[in-house]
Amino acid sequence: MGPADGSSLTMDVRSVSDLAVVVPLHGGASYVARSPGLGDELGFVPVDEHTLQSTARPNVFAIGDAAGIPTSKAGSVTHFEGEVLVENVRRFLAHESLDGSFDGHTNCFIETGFGKALLIDFNYDTEPLPGHFPASVGLPLLKESRLNHLGS
């Protein structure tokens, strides 16, 4: 999918590096883009980034690849979003205030080759940090390891 105006996007990158991570432009489902007032120009559902409630239709919530929030579209994000989504649908139906606790929590494995991978863990406010996930004896963060490769 190219830019919203239909033109193509080209890049001239000339650099020497050990690792290049390139993510092409992607978009949400075409039916979302075609639904008046539901999606944005890329087919994502604009939502409050902490409650996951649609900014256009209060009875709509979105997570994962459908949600127009500044996070990765990794499955781990949907896992973390799910806890907030379930609680907020319950609260919405009960006419209670919504839980604004989704913080953009993301973890991603990055395959580096030769049976090794990196694991990064971050959220809206915190850049990837060293350590371990999910606890002090878990998978190493920001370090290549065979264990991270097996976890990916």
Side-chain angles (χ1 to χ4, degrees), residues 3 7 23 34-35 38 51-53 60 88 91 93-95 97 102 121-122 127 139:
S7 63
V23 180
R34 290 191 314 263
S35 300
L38 180 60
T51 67
L52 308 173
Q53 182 182 39
V60 172
N88 279 341
R91 288 182 181 203
L93 294 174
H95 305 287
S97 61
F102 182 66
D121 187 77
F122 55 95
E127 293 291 324
L139 298 170

Side-chain angles (χ1 to χ4, degrees), residues 88-103:
N88 279 341
V89 168
R90 185 199 66 76
R91 288 182 181 203
F92 178 80
L93 294 174
H95 305 287
E96 298 174 3
S97 61
L98 300 181
D99 173 10
S101 68
F102 182 66
D103 64 357

